[in-house]
Amino acid sequence: MAAAAPPPPPTAPAELNMDLPTTHPLFTRIRLATKPDVPAIHKMIHQMAVFERLADQCSATELSLSATLFSKPTPFESFTVFLIEASTKPFPPSSISSSPKFTPIHKTLTLDLPISDPESENFKSSTMEDDVIVAGFVLFFPNYSTFLAKPGFYIEDLFVRESYRRKGLGRMLLSAVAKQAVAMGYGRVEWVVLDWNLNAIRFYEEMGADVMQEWRVCRLAGEALQSYAATSGTSDDLDCI
Amino acid sequence: MAAAAPPPPPTAPAELNMDLPTTHPLFTRIRLATKPDVPAIHKMIHQMAVFERLADQCSATELSLSATLFSKPTPFESFTVFLIEASTKPFPPSSISSSPKFTPIHKTLTLDLPISDPESENFKSSTMEDDVIVAGFVLFFPNYSTFLAKPGFYIEDLFVRESYRRKGLGRMLLSAVAKQAVAMGYGRVEWVVLDWNLNAIRFYEEMGADVMQEWRVCRLAGEALQSYAATSGTSDDLDCI
């Protein structure tokens, strides 16, 4: 199908190649994920686990993710995923049905080198649009501050596929969550970071985030959770409870 | 109204008072909180803030809590509060309408001394039952583990009023959340603790919880959140995103 007006050529005209660096536009879109996106999300979760050297702790399957994600019609009230997708061609403006709760965010990046993505075949967008590749995701859900009497968002995972890293896509996903929080009148966005990951801590502090040194996360899981739930719980408590 | 069979006397018979210590039963009930419970929850949130020396950070009002809590008909899918209430008399079994999602948990404690509660007038149960006093609460909501592909619960606050502390009520509230998590097939219960609160850390470790030393909570809030949300977010990212 021929376009009414041809898009501008992606590279500079040939006669200027000697004088100006060639640039490569990368068109990006952030949209809400739905059930058909589970296979791509599943692959990214496993890549994240390998990156974190925690693959042995990752038992997520497409089936278990499908059973627990995207079953509510309303985004943001429960577990929510933003996908960031990339294309070397502009996105048609109305190519996906936008939720009344969220309008996709488009941004065009200018890269010095084209993206080389050996896995692009495995990460084609579920929207079936030509040349649209899933590049990353953020999974978040509401939390609540009693002191503020306001909800906020907690970011459980933020991941950008290797071929798309260091181009600002992670920050675009974080920013999309922050914008959504502000749009909904929420008070906070929170996440966790490993204390030895000094690059990440510096990055978050430069964003304006407060990295809280005094709090420790407590987790009751697996057999300990099962056995605690089975106890009657009547022995003495702490002074404060 | 006379009971068909009188309950056993709450103290030992008079002729045994010289030989056996007098005991005092405390009847407790854990139930789901609803909007009419907001005034009691609001007072407890402020008492908690004073206890934590963070009263200046607590801006919750009855109005702001009412606007953000208990607007969904289904508990556990969003912000949920269990109240623990106490009485010196047994609870009538059908005195409150129980949600199809949660059956109140009753337990009778035997205390050496009666409770002395100078604030009982301010903490009468919203159920209007005679002699039923709100003693504490836990606020929790679903979180999600991508590695497990399962929801869990995050406990934001656990509080027991001063007159009722060190009797196991806090543990009963924690246990009720753990039981609910197990009943729903959830994978984890999580919360945070201050790293200098060694008594609490020991208490949680004895429960079987893992106190994770390497993770730090990052928080983007207030003006930093507003200004980050307003930025376009296209500068360089971390290596991993």
Side-chain angles (χ1 to χ4, degrees):
Chain A
M1 201 171 81
T11 56
E15 65 271 25
L16 292 181
N17 270 355
M18 303 283 285
D19 303 308
L20 288 176
T22 306
T23 59
H24 301 269
L26 186 71
F27 300 89
T28 71
R29 175 180 67 194
I30 294 176
R31 67 170 173 89
L32 283 168
T34 58
K35 286 228 192 245
D37 299 308
V38 164
I41 294 168
H42 175 243
K43 288 189 206 90
M44 289 190 285
I45 289 169
H46 273 269
Q47 291 186 350
M48 185 170 58
V50 169
F51 181 87
E52 295 176 347
R53 300 183 189 184
L54 296 172
D56 58 315
Q57 292 180 31
C58 184
S59 58
T61 63
E62 285 188 20
L63 202 65
S64 60
L65 290 165
S66 275
T68 51
L69 292 176
F70 315 131
S71 36
K72 304 275 161 54
T74 46
F76 308 123
E77 294 183 8
S78 183
F79 319 127
T80 303
V81 174
F82 281 152
L83 286 185
I84 188 160
E85 294 174 323
S87 178
T88 54
K89 296 184 290 191
F91 288 87
S94 59
S95 56
I96 55 163
S97 62
S98 83
S99 158
K101 296 276 190 176
F102 182 73
T103 304
I105 300 170
H106 288 263
K107 188 175 290 290
T108 307
L109 309 181
T110 305
L111 307 180
D112 293 336
L113 294 170
I115 294 282
S116 165
D117 181 2
E119 289 190 294
S120 59
E121 282 298 309
N122 293 330
F123 285 96
K124 287 185 170 177
S125 174
S126 71
T127 61
M128 309 303 283
E129 294 157 298
D130 196 32
D131 187 39
V132 176
I133 306 295
V134 176
F137 79 102
V138 59
L139 186 145
F140 60 105
F141 45 80
N143 63 5
Y144 190 82
S145 161
T146 39
F147 280 14
L148 301 180
K150 274 187 186 179
F153 282 133
Y154 182 84
I155 297 176
E156 175 69 19
D157 284 318
L158 174 67
F159 182 77
V160 174
R161 290 179 48 230
E162 192 170 359
S163 307
Y164 297 88
R165 286 182 199 153
R166 303 184 75 171
K167 300 178 190 350
L169 274 64
R171 190 188 281 254
M172 286 160 65
L173 284 167
L174 266 180
S175 180
V177 177
K179 276 183 214 293
Q180 188 63 34
V182 168
M184 294 175 76
Y186 284 8
R188 295 172 175 171
V189 177
E190 294 178 310
W191 61 94
V192 293
V193 66
L194 285 161
D195 67 341
W196 48 257
N197 195 347
L198 300 180
N199 278 341
I201 289 172
R202 192 163 44 238
F203 177 80
Y204 296 143
E205 285 179 338
E206 283 170 9
M207 277 171 57
D210 185 16
V211 179
M212 294 184 287
Q213 295 301 332
E214 288 194 321
W215 293 98
R216 297 292 173 272
V217 179
C218 301
R219 176 179 292 170
L220 186 63
E223 284 188 21
L225 172 62
Q226 300 286 332
S227 77
Y228 187 75
T231 62
S232 59
T234 48
S235 56
D236 269 2
D237 266 345
L238 284 169
D239 289 357
C240 56
I241 50 173
Chain B
M1 201 173 80
T11 55
E15 66 271 26
L16 292 179
N17 270 355
M18 302 282 284
D19 303 308
L20 289 176
T22 306
T23 60
H24 301 269
L26 187 71
F27 300 89
T28 70
R29 175 181 66 194
I30 294 176
R31 67 169 172 91
L32 284 167
T34 57
K35 287 228 192 245
D37 299 308
V38 164
I41 294 168
H42 175 243
K43 288 189 205 91
M44 290 190 283
I45 289 170
H46 273 270
Q47 291 187 348
M48 185 171 58
V50 169
F51 180 88
E52 294 177 347
R53 300 183 187 182
L54 296 172
D56 58 314
Q57 293 181 30
C58 184
S59 58
T61 63
E62 285 189 20
L63 201 66
S64 60
L65 290 165
S66 274
T68 51
L69 292 176
F70 315 131
S71 36
K72 303 276 160 54
T74 46
F76 308 123
E77 293 182 8
S78 182
F79 319 128
T80 303
V81 174
F82 281 152
L83 286 184
I84 188 160
E85 294 174 322
S87 177
T88 55
K89 296 184 291 190
F91 288 86
S94 60
S95 55
I96 54 164
S97 62
S98 83
S99 158
K101 296 276 191 176
F102 182 73
T103 304
I105 299 169
H106 289 263
K107 188 174 292 287
T108 308
L109 309 181
T110 304
L111 307 180
D112 293 336
L113 294 170
I115 295 281
S116 165
D117 181 3
E119 290 190 293
S120 59
E121 282 299 310
N122 292 331
F123 285 96
K124 286 186 172 177
S125 173
S126 72
T127 62
M128 310 301 282
E129 294 157 298
D130 197 30
D131 187 38
V132 176
I133 306 297
V134 176
F137 79 102
V138 59
L139 185 144
F140 60 105
F141 46 80
N143 64 5
Y144 190 81
S145 161
T146 39
F147 280 15
L148 301 180
K150 273 187 187 180
F153 282 133
Y154 182 84
I155 297 177
E156 175 69 19
D157 284 319
L158 174 67
F159 181 77
V160 173
R161 290 179 49 231
E162 193 170 357
S163 307
Y164 296 87
R165 285 181 201 155
R166 302 184 76 171
K167 299 178 190 349
L169 273 64
R171 191 187 281 253
M172 286 159 65
L173 285 167
L174 266 179
S175 180
V177 177
K179 276 183 214 293
Q180 188 63 34
V182 168
M184 295 175 77
Y186 284 8
R188 295 172 175 170
V189 176
E190 294 179 310
W191 61 94
V192 293
V193 66
L194 285 160
D195 66 342
W196 48 257
N197 195 346
L198 299 180
N199 278 341
I201 288 172
R202 193 163 43 237
F203 176 80
Y204 296 142
E205 286 179 337
E206 282 170 9
M207 276 171 56
D210 185 17
V211 179
M212 294 184 288
Q213 295 301 331
E214 287 194 321
W215 293 98
R216 297 291 174 272
V217 179
C218 302
R219 177 178 291 170
L220 186 63
E223 284 189 21
L225 172 62
Q226 300 286 332
S227 76
Y228 188 76
T231 63
S232 58
T234 49
S235 55
D236 269 2
D237 265 345
L238 284 169
D239 289 357
C240 55
I241 51 172

